Structure formats: structure tokens, C-alpha cells
Amino acid sequence: VRNDVRELRGGKDLSQQALGAALGVSRQTINAIEQGRYDPSLPLAIRIARYFGRTVEEVFHVDG
Amino acid sequence: MSTDRNRAARDVSRWVVPAVCVLAAAAFAGIFLANGDTGGAISAAGIMLGYGLVLVVLSRRSEVAAILRSDGRDERRASIDLRASALALRVVVVLAVVMFCIQLAEGHTGGAWEAVCVTVGVSYLAGVALLSRRS
């Protein structure tokens, strides 16, 4: 699953650490999500989307 | 309110593994001392205390140490912990089955490996039955 978390985070000028703290996850987890190494659970995906004022579909993109 | 509770639970959970290390160190030292082995008591306690100390010191810098310390309730870390536990269990199961077969080939039954195989098998079946009803 591709995602726009890195771009959205950059748009808010946030560090991975700050975004992780806001979402209740570690910096490494934010990094893994941004690099596509980890697909977040639905609750976390919703929290991420809400944090950026987007829908889940606007942040996460399923290929194919 | 619930955030405060979550933070308190996180703070407590961070110290569970180091506390277990201290208890294990005391238990190992007690067992070795009871057998009159002072050197063994110091070594065993030192290893457990050292392990706990390394986790406490490194858990902020190393994710591996943080996972081993059960630091935080991060879902990815929980997933890594779960998969690593499953991998370790599979290794133990393979070892137990191989050792049980060797035991059988040597004409022995009712040994420790047989007990491990039965315990793992029954626990797995019970777990599947319970979890399939709950999820």
C-alpha cells in the first residue's frame, strides 16, 4: 500500500518523532510506514488520516 | 483521563522486564548459593542484572532493546514481538519433535521432550479453539 504520509508530514514541517508522538507510535514506525515497509492497522490509518484532515483513501493508495 | 491511564500503564509496562530481570537474578543467585556455588551465583546474577541494565540504558536509542523491554504500546513493535515469538516457538517445536524422535529411536518414552511436544500441541489446539471463537 503506497501512502502520502511523508509528503503530508513535510507539508506540516513535522519530524517523524513529533508525528509519532502525536499519533502514539514510535519514530521508527512512522519511518516504516513512510517507506512502505509497514502497513498500519485500520485504527492507526484512520488516526493518521484524521490528523492531516484527509480521508484514509486520500492518504493510502492500494495499487491494482 | 484515558490518555493519563494509558500513559500510566505504559510507564508501568516499561519496568516489568527490568523487574523480572532483578527477580530472576535473585532467584538464580539463591539457587546457586543453596548449592554452595558462590561463583555461579555471582555470574548468573550478573548476567541477568546486566541484561536488564542494558535494556534500560539502550531502550531509548535502540528499537531492538525497546522491543525486548516491552517499551510502549506501539502496534508495529507489538507485531514484531508477536512474529518473533512465533518464530522462536517454531524453532522450539522443531527441536522438541526431533529430540522426541531420537528419544523414541533409542527406545525411551515419557521423557521431557515428549512432555514439551504434548504441552505445545495441546496449548496450540486450545489457543486455536479459543481465539477462533473470539475473533
Side-chain angles (χ1 to χ4, degrees), chain A residues 3-12 44-61:
Chain A
N3 66 75
D4 301 333
V5 173
R6 183 181 291 273
E7 292 74 17
L8 292 165
R9 179 175 62 78
K12 284 198 171 230
L44 178 55
I46 291 171
R47 286 211 305 278
I48 292 170
R50 283 184 180 166
Y51 183 84
F52 291 114
R54 307 288 177 99
T55 63
V56 172
E57 294 93 328
E58 285 172 333
V59 179
F60 296 92
H61 315 287

PDB file of all heavy atoms in Angstrom, chain A residues 3-12 44-61:
ATOM      1  N   ASN A   3       1.545   5.367   0.240  1.00  0.00           N
ATOM      2  CA  ASN A   3       0.900   6.399   1.051  1.00  0.00           C
ATOM      3  C   ASN A   3       1.609   7.737   0.881  1.00  0.00           C
ATOM      4  O   ASN A   3       2.733   7.797   0.380  1.00  0.00           O
ATOM      5  CB  ASN A   3       0.862   5.985   2.523  1.00  0.00           C
ATOM      6  CG  ASN A   3       2.231   5.911   3.141  1.00  0.00           C
ATOM      7  OD1 ASN A   3       2.847   6.928   3.435  1.00  0.00           O
ATOM      8  ND2 ASN A   3       2.749   4.683   3.325  1.00  0.00           N
ATOM      9  N   ASP A   4       0.910   8.796   1.296  1.00  0.00           N
ATOM     10  CA  ASP A   4       1.442  10.157   1.161  1.00  0.00           C
ATOM     11  C   ASP A   4       1.862  10.741   2.510  1.00  0.00           C
ATOM     12  O   ASP A   4       1.908  11.958   2.677  1.00  0.00           O
ATOM     13  CB  ASP A   4       0.371  11.065   0.531  1.00  0.00           C
ATOM     14  CG  ASP A   4      -0.067  10.583  -0.837  1.00  0.00           C
ATOM     15  OD1 ASP A   4       0.742   9.919  -1.511  1.00  0.00           O
ATOM     16  OD2 ASP A   4      -1.219  10.857  -1.231  1.00  0.00           O
ATOM     17  N   VAL A   5       2.161   9.874   3.470  1.00  0.00           N
ATOM     18  CA  VAL A   5       2.451  10.356   4.825  1.00  0.00           C
ATOM     19  C   VAL A   5       3.672  11.273   4.825  1.00  0.00           C
ATOM     20  O   VAL A   5       3.669  12.332   5.462  1.00  0.00           O
ATOM     21  CB  VAL A   5       2.639   9.175   5.801  1.00  0.00           C
ATOM     22  CG1 VAL A   5       3.107   9.677   7.170  1.00  0.00           C
ATOM     23  CG2 VAL A   5       1.341   8.397   5.946  1.00  0.00           C
ATOM     24  N   ARG A   6       4.714  10.889   4.085  1.00  0.00           N
ATOM     25  CA  ARG A   6       5.933  11.711   4.090  1.00  0.00           C
ATOM     26  C   ARG A   6       5.647  13.117   3.556  1.00  0.00           C
ATOM     27  O   ARG A   6       6.076  14.123   4.148  1.00  0.00           O
ATOM     28  CB  ARG A   6       7.027  11.050   3.237  1.00  0.00           C
ATOM     29  CG  ARG A   6       8.345  11.829   3.256  1.00  0.00           C
ATOM     30  CD  ARG A   6       9.398  11.144   2.381  1.00  0.00           C
ATOM     31  NE  ARG A   6       9.837   9.877   2.932  1.00  0.00           N
ATOM     32  CZ  ARG A   6      10.831   9.749   3.814  1.00  0.00           C
ATOM     33  NH1 ARG A   6      11.482  10.809   4.225  1.00  0.00           N
ATOM     34  NH2 ARG A   6      11.168   8.579   4.268  1.00  0.00           N
ATOM     35  N   GLU A   7       4.890  13.193   2.451  1.00  0.00           N
ATOM     36  CA  GLU A   7       4.574  14.497   1.863  1.00  0.00           C
ATOM     37  C   GLU A   7       3.711  15.325   2.817  1.00  0.00           C
ATOM     38  O   GLU A   7       3.936  16.527   3.006  1.00  0.00           O
ATOM     39  CB  GLU A   7       3.839  14.320   0.523  1.00  0.00           C
ATOM     40  CG  GLU A   7       4.686  13.726  -0.598  1.00  0.00           C
ATOM     41  CD  GLU A   7       4.947  12.225  -0.449  1.00  0.00           C
ATOM     42  OE1 GLU A   7       4.233  11.563   0.335  1.00  0.00           O
ATOM     43  OE2 GLU A   7       5.885  11.720  -1.094  1.00  0.00           O
ATOM     44  N   LEU A   8       2.702  14.678   3.408  1.00  0.00           N
ATOM     45  CA  LEU A   8       1.806  15.390   4.326  1.00  0.00           C
ATOM     46  C   LEU A   8       2.570  15.875   5.563  1.00  0.00           C
ATOM     47  O   LEU A   8       2.356  16.994   6.045  1.00  0.00           O
ATOM     48  CB  LEU A   8       0.647  14.480   4.741  1.00  0.00           C
ATOM     49  CG  LEU A   8      -0.343  14.146   3.620  1.00  0.00           C
ATOM     50  CD1 LEU A   8      -1.237  12.974   4.017  1.00  0.00           C
ATOM     51  CD2 LEU A   8      -1.193  15.360   3.278  1.00  0.00           C
ATOM     52  N   ARG A   9       3.475  15.039   6.062  1.00  0.00           N
ATOM     53  CA  ARG A   9       4.278  15.420   7.226  1.00  0.00           C
ATOM     54  C   ARG A   9       5.197  16.586   6.874  1.00  0.00           C
ATOM     55  O   ARG A   9       5.325  17.547   7.635  1.00  0.00           O
ATOM     56  CB  ARG A   9       5.108  14.217   7.704  1.00  0.00           C
ATOM     57  CG  ARG A   9       6.000  14.504   8.888  1.00  0.00           C
ATOM     58  CD  ARG A   9       6.700  13.252   9.376  1.00  0.00           C
ATOM     59  NE  ARG A   9       7.590  12.659   8.383  1.00  0.00           N
ATOM     60  CZ  ARG A   9       8.797  13.109   8.094  1.00  0.00           C
ATOM     61  NH1 ARG A   9       9.267  14.165   8.729  1.00  0.00           N
ATOM     62  NH2 ARG A   9       9.544  12.517   7.183  1.00  0.00           N
ATOM     63  N   GLY A  10       5.791  16.505   5.678  1.00  0.00           N
ATOM     64  CA  GLY A  10       6.661  17.594   5.228  1.00  0.00           C
ATOM     65  C   GLY A  10       5.892  18.898   5.090  1.00  0.00           C
ATOM     66  O   GLY A  10       6.400  19.971   5.430  1.00  0.00           O
ATOM     67  N   GLY A  11       4.641  18.792   4.627  1.00  0.00           N
ATOM     68  CA  GLY A  11       3.798  19.980   4.470  1.00  0.00           C
ATOM     69  C   GLY A  11       3.520  20.665   5.795  1.00  0.00           C
ATOM     70  O   GLY A  11       3.300  21.875   5.846  1.00  0.00           O
ATOM     71  N   LYS A  12       3.517  19.901   6.857  1.00  0.00           N
ATOM     72  CA  LYS A  12       3.281  20.485   8.197  1.00  0.00           C
ATOM     73  C   LYS A  12       4.586  20.771   8.924  1.00  0.00           C
ATOM     74  O   LYS A  12       4.563  21.182  10.090  1.00  0.00           O
ATOM     75  CB  LYS A  12       2.447  19.506   9.043  1.00  0.00           C
ATOM     76  CG  LYS A  12       0.966  19.479   8.683  1.00  0.00           C
ATOM     77  CD  LYS A  12       0.176  18.857   9.817  1.00  0.00           C
ATOM     78  CE  LYS A  12      -1.307  19.033   9.564  1.00  0.00           C
ATOM     79  NZ  LYS A  12      -2.003  19.579  10.713  1.00  0.00           N
ATOM     80  N   LEU A  44      -5.015   2.947  13.196  1.00  0.00           N
ATOM     81  CA  LEU A  44      -3.895   3.884  13.056  1.00  0.00           C
ATOM     82  C   LEU A  44      -3.987   4.638  11.733  1.00  0.00           C
ATOM     83  O   LEU A  44      -3.703   5.838  11.675  1.00  0.00           O
ATOM     84  CB  LEU A  44      -2.555   3.143  13.158  1.00  0.00           C
ATOM     85  CG  LEU A  44      -1.294   4.009  12.984  1.00  0.00           C
ATOM     86  CD1 LEU A  44      -1.279   5.177  13.972  1.00  0.00           C
ATOM     87  CD2 LEU A  44      -0.032   3.165  13.155  1.00  0.00           C
ATOM     88  N   ALA A  45      -4.410   3.939  10.673  1.00  0.00           N
ATOM     89  CA  ALA A  45      -4.573   4.609   9.378  1.00  0.00           C
ATOM     90  C   ALA A  45      -5.617   5.728   9.494  1.00  0.00           C
ATOM     91  O   ALA A  45      -5.428   6.823   8.951  1.00  0.00           O
ATOM     92  CB  ALA A  45      -4.994   3.590   8.318  1.00  0.00           C
ATOM     93  N   ILE A  46      -6.687   5.461  10.227  1.00  0.00           N
ATOM     94  CA  ILE A  46      -7.726   6.486  10.424  1.00  0.00           C
ATOM     95  C   ILE A  46      -7.173   7.657  11.238  1.00  0.00           C
ATOM     96  O   ILE A  46      -7.418   8.824  10.925  1.00  0.00           O
ATOM     97  CB  ILE A  46      -8.974   5.862  11.101  1.00  0.00           C
ATOM     98  CG1 ILE A  46      -9.664   4.899  10.125  1.00  0.00           C
ATOM     99  CG2 ILE A  46      -9.938   6.944  11.574  1.00  0.00           C
ATOM    100  CD1 ILE A  46     -10.779   4.076  10.758  1.00  0.00           C
ATOM    101  N   ARG A  47      -6.390   7.329  12.287  1.00  0.00           N
ATOM    102  CA  ARG A  47      -5.796   8.400  13.109  1.00  0.00           C
ATOM    103  C   ARG A  47      -4.875   9.270  12.268  1.00  0.00           C
ATOM    104  O   ARG A  47      -4.872  10.500  12.388  1.00  0.00           O
ATOM    105  CB  ARG A  47      -5.006   7.810  14.285  1.00  0.00           C
ATOM    106  CG  ARG A  47      -5.846   7.260  15.395  1.00  0.00           C
ATOM    107  CD  ARG A  47      -5.155   7.390  16.759  1.00  0.00           C
ATOM    108  NE  ARG A  47      -3.831   6.814  16.842  1.00  0.00           N
ATOM    109  CZ  ARG A  47      -3.588   5.522  17.043  1.00  0.00           C
ATOM    110  NH1 ARG A  47      -4.580   4.663  17.155  1.00  0.00           N
ATOM    111  NH2 ARG A  47      -2.351   5.077  17.140  1.00  0.00           N
ATOM    112  N   ILE A  48      -4.090   8.622  11.384  1.00  0.00           N
ATOM    113  CA  ILE A  48      -3.162   9.370  10.520  1.00  0.00           C
ATOM    114  C   ILE A  48      -3.954  10.287   9.589  1.00  0.00           C
ATOM    115  O   ILE A  48      -3.664  11.478   9.459  1.00  0.00           O
ATOM    116  CB  ILE A  48      -2.271   8.405   9.702  1.00  0.00           C
ATOM    117  CG1 ILE A  48      -1.303   7.668  10.622  1.00  0.00           C
ATOM    118  CG2 ILE A  48      -1.504   9.163   8.629  1.00  0.00           C
ATOM    119  CD1 ILE A  48      -0.544   6.521   9.949  1.00  0.00           C
ATOM    120  N   ALA A  49      -4.987   9.714   8.953  1.00  0.00           N
ATOM    121  CA  ALA A  49      -5.783  10.500   8.004  1.00  0.00           C
ATOM    122  C   ALA A  49      -6.459  11.674   8.706  1.00  0.00           C
ATOM    123  O   ALA A  49      -6.437  12.808   8.214  1.00  0.00           O
ATOM    124  CB  ALA A  49      -6.817   9.595   7.338  1.00  0.00           C
ATOM    125  N   ARG A  50      -7.042  11.415   9.865  1.00  0.00           N
ATOM    126  CA  ARG A  50      -7.717  12.495  10.609  1.00  0.00           C
ATOM    127  C   ARG A  50      -6.734  13.577  11.050  1.00  0.00           C
ATOM    128  O   ARG A  50      -7.068  14.755  11.070  1.00  0.00           O
ATOM    129  CB  ARG A  50      -8.427  11.913  11.834  1.00  0.00           C
ATOM    130  CG  ARG A  50      -9.725  11.218  11.476  1.00  0.00           C
ATOM    131  CD  ARG A  50     -10.436  10.738  12.715  1.00  0.00           C
ATOM    132  NE  ARG A  50     -11.678  10.071  12.350  1.00  0.00           N
ATOM    133  CZ  ARG A  50     -12.388   9.314  13.179  1.00  0.00           C
ATOM    134  NH1 ARG A  50     -11.961   9.155  14.430  1.00  0.00           N
ATOM    135  NH2 ARG A  50     -13.498   8.754  12.794  1.00  0.00           N
ATOM    136  N   TYR A  51      -5.537  13.153  11.410  1.00  0.00           N
ATOM    137  CA  TYR A  51      -4.525  14.122  11.856  1.00  0.00           C
ATOM    138  C   TYR A  51      -4.242  15.137  10.757  1.00  0.00           C
ATOM    139  O   TYR A  51      -4.050  16.324  11.030  1.00  0.00           O
ATOM    140  CB  TYR A  51      -3.237  13.388  12.249  1.00  0.00           C
ATOM    141  CG  TYR A  51      -2.176  14.298  12.792  1.00  0.00           C
ATOM    142  CD1 TYR A  51      -2.177  14.666  14.131  1.00  0.00           C
ATOM    143  CD2 TYR A  51      -1.179  14.806  11.958  1.00  0.00           C
ATOM    144  CE1 TYR A  51      -1.212  15.530  14.634  1.00  0.00           C
ATOM    145  CE2 TYR A  51      -0.214  15.664  12.449  1.00  0.00           C
ATOM    146  CZ  TYR A  51      -0.234  16.014  13.786  1.00  0.00           C
ATOM    147  OH  TYR A  51       0.717  16.876  14.271  1.00  0.00           O
ATOM    148  N   PHE A  52      -4.218  14.645   9.505  1.00  0.00           N
ATOM    149  CA  PHE A  52      -3.930  15.531   8.380  1.00  0.00           C
ATOM    150  C   PHE A  52      -5.197  16.096   7.742  1.00  0.00           C
ATOM    151  O   PHE A  52      -5.123  16.770   6.707  1.00  0.00           O
ATOM    152  CB  PHE A  52      -3.103  14.784   7.322  1.00  0.00           C
ATOM    153  CG  PHE A  52      -1.705  14.463   7.784  1.00  0.00           C
ATOM    154  CD1 PHE A  52      -1.306  13.150   7.982  1.00  0.00           C
ATOM    155  CD2 PHE A  52      -0.793  15.480   8.031  1.00  0.00           C
ATOM    156  CE1 PHE A  52      -0.021  12.851   8.407  1.00  0.00           C
ATOM    157  CE2 PHE A  52       0.497  15.187   8.464  1.00  0.00           C
ATOM    158  CZ  PHE A  52       0.882  13.876   8.658  1.00  0.00           C
ATOM    159  N   GLY A  53      -6.353  15.809   8.338  1.00  0.00           N
ATOM    160  CA  GLY A  53      -7.614  16.337   7.803  1.00  0.00           C
ATOM    161  C   GLY A  53      -7.994  15.717   6.473  1.00  0.00           C
ATOM    162  O   GLY A  53      -8.621  16.376   5.633  1.00  0.00           O
ATOM    163  N   ARG A  54      -7.608  14.482   6.251  1.00  0.00           N
ATOM    164  CA  ARG A  54      -7.907  13.770   4.999  1.00  0.00           C
ATOM    165  C   ARG A  54      -8.705  12.515   5.309  1.00  0.00           C
ATOM    166  O   ARG A  54      -8.870  12.135   6.468  1.00  0.00           O
ATOM    167  CB  ARG A  54      -6.624  13.363   4.273  1.00  0.00           C
ATOM    168  CG  ARG A  54      -5.628  14.463   4.031  1.00  0.00           C
ATOM    169  CD  ARG A  54      -6.127  15.407   2.967  1.00  0.00           C
ATOM    170  NE  ARG A  54      -5.211  16.528   2.766  1.00  0.00           N
ATOM    171  CZ  ARG A  54      -4.314  16.585   1.795  1.00  0.00           C
ATOM    172  NH1 ARG A  54      -4.209  15.576   0.945  1.00  0.00           N
ATOM    173  NH2 ARG A  54      -3.522  17.623   1.664  1.00  0.00           N
ATOM    174  N   THR A  55      -9.180  11.862   4.230  1.00  0.00           N
ATOM    175  CA  THR A  55      -9.782  10.542   4.402  1.00  0.00           C
ATOM    176  C   THR A  55      -8.677   9.489   4.259  1.00  0.00           C
ATOM    177  O   THR A  55      -7.589   9.788   3.729  1.00  0.00           O
ATOM    178  CB  THR A  55     -10.860  10.266   3.340  1.00  0.00           C
ATOM    179  OG1 THR A  55     -10.231  10.252   2.054  1.00  0.00           O
ATOM    180  CG2 THR A  55     -11.951  11.326   3.375  1.00  0.00           C
ATOM    181  N   VAL A  56      -8.966   8.284   4.686  1.00  0.00           N
ATOM    182  CA  VAL A  56      -7.970   7.209   4.571  1.00  0.00           C
ATOM    183  C   VAL A  56      -7.599   6.990   3.100  1.00  0.00           C
ATOM    184  O   VAL A  56      -6.423   6.806   2.760  1.00  0.00           O
ATOM    185  CB  VAL A  56      -8.515   5.891   5.200  1.00  0.00           C
ATOM    186  CG1 VAL A  56      -7.574   4.725   4.909  1.00  0.00           C
ATOM    187  CG2 VAL A  56      -8.675   6.058   6.702  1.00  0.00           C
ATOM    188  N   GLU A  57      -8.611   7.034   2.227  1.00  0.00           N
ATOM    189  CA  GLU A  57      -8.342   6.811   0.791  1.00  0.00           C
ATOM    190  C   GLU A  57      -7.467   7.894   0.189  1.00  0.00           C
ATOM    191  O   GLU A  57      -6.773   7.657  -0.807  1.00  0.00           O
ATOM    192  CB  GLU A  57      -9.664   6.748   0.000  1.00  0.00           C
ATOM    193  CG  GLU A  57     -10.521   5.557   0.335  1.00  0.00           C
ATOM    194  CD  GLU A  57     -11.537   5.882   1.422  1.00  0.00           C
ATOM    195  OE1 GLU A  57     -11.231   6.725   2.301  1.00  0.00           O
ATOM    196  OE2 GLU A  57     -12.626   5.298   1.392  1.00  0.00           O
ATOM    197  N   GLU A  58      -7.511   9.096   0.763  1.00  0.00           N
ATOM    198  CA  GLU A  58      -6.674  10.182   0.238  1.00  0.00           C
ATOM    199  C   GLU A  58      -5.215  10.039   0.684  1.00  0.00           C
ATOM    200  O   GLU A  58      -4.323  10.586   0.048  1.00  0.00           O
ATOM    201  CB  GLU A  58      -7.214  11.544   0.717  1.00  0.00           C
ATOM    202  CG  GLU A  58      -8.469  11.965  -0.024  1.00  0.00           C
ATOM    203  CD  GLU A  58      -9.101  13.211   0.581  1.00  0.00           C
ATOM    204  OE1 GLU A  58      -8.923  13.458   1.793  1.00  0.00           O
ATOM    205  OE2 GLU A  58      -9.796  13.925  -0.164  1.00  0.00           O
ATOM    206  N   VAL A  59      -5.001   9.306   1.763  1.00  0.00           N
ATOM    207  CA  VAL A  59      -3.632   9.149   2.289  1.00  0.00           C
ATOM    208  C   VAL A  59      -3.010   7.831   1.837  1.00  0.00           C
ATOM    209  O   VAL A  59      -1.830   7.777   1.487  1.00  0.00           O
ATOM    210  CB  VAL A  59      -3.626   9.226   3.840  1.00  0.00           C
ATOM    211  CG1 VAL A  59      -2.215   9.048   4.386  1.00  0.00           C
ATOM    212  CG2 VAL A  59      -4.215  10.547   4.316  1.00  0.00           C
ATOM    213  N   PHE A  60      -3.823   6.767   1.828  1.00  0.00           N
ATOM    214  CA  PHE A  60      -3.307   5.435   1.486  1.00  0.00           C
ATOM    215  C   PHE A  60      -3.886   4.983   0.146  1.00  0.00           C
ATOM    216  O   PHE A  60      -5.088   5.129  -0.090  1.00  0.00           O
ATOM    217  CB  PHE A  60      -3.663   4.433   2.579  1.00  0.00           C
ATOM    218  CG  PHE A  60      -3.006   4.753   3.892  1.00  0.00           C
ATOM    219  CD1 PHE A  60      -3.656   5.533   4.839  1.00  0.00           C
ATOM    220  CD2 PHE A  60      -1.723   4.303   4.184  1.00  0.00           C
ATOM    221  CE1 PHE A  60      -3.046   5.860   6.039  1.00  0.00           C
ATOM    222  CE2 PHE A  60      -1.110   4.623   5.388  1.00  0.00           C
ATOM    223  CZ  PHE A  60      -1.770   5.407   6.308  1.00  0.00           C
ATOM    224  N   HIS A  61      -3.034   4.444  -0.701  1.00  0.00           N
ATOM    225  CA  HIS A  61      -3.453   4.060  -2.048  1.00  0.00           C
ATOM    226  C   HIS A  61      -3.120   2.587  -2.298  1.00  0.00           C
ATOM    227  O   HIS A  61      -1.957   2.195  -2.213  1.00  0.00           O
ATOM    228  CB  HIS A  61      -2.729   4.920  -3.083  1.00  0.00           C
ATOM    229  CG  HIS A  61      -2.725   6.373  -2.720  1.00  0.00           C
ATOM    230  ND1 HIS A  61      -3.843   7.172  -2.810  1.00  0.00           N
ATOM    231  CD2 HIS A  61      -1.739   7.158  -2.211  1.00  0.00           C
ATOM    232  CE1 HIS A  61      -3.542   8.389  -2.395  1.00  0.00           C
ATOM    233  NE2 HIS A  61      -2.280   8.410  -2.023  1.00  0.00           N
TER     234      HIS A  61
END
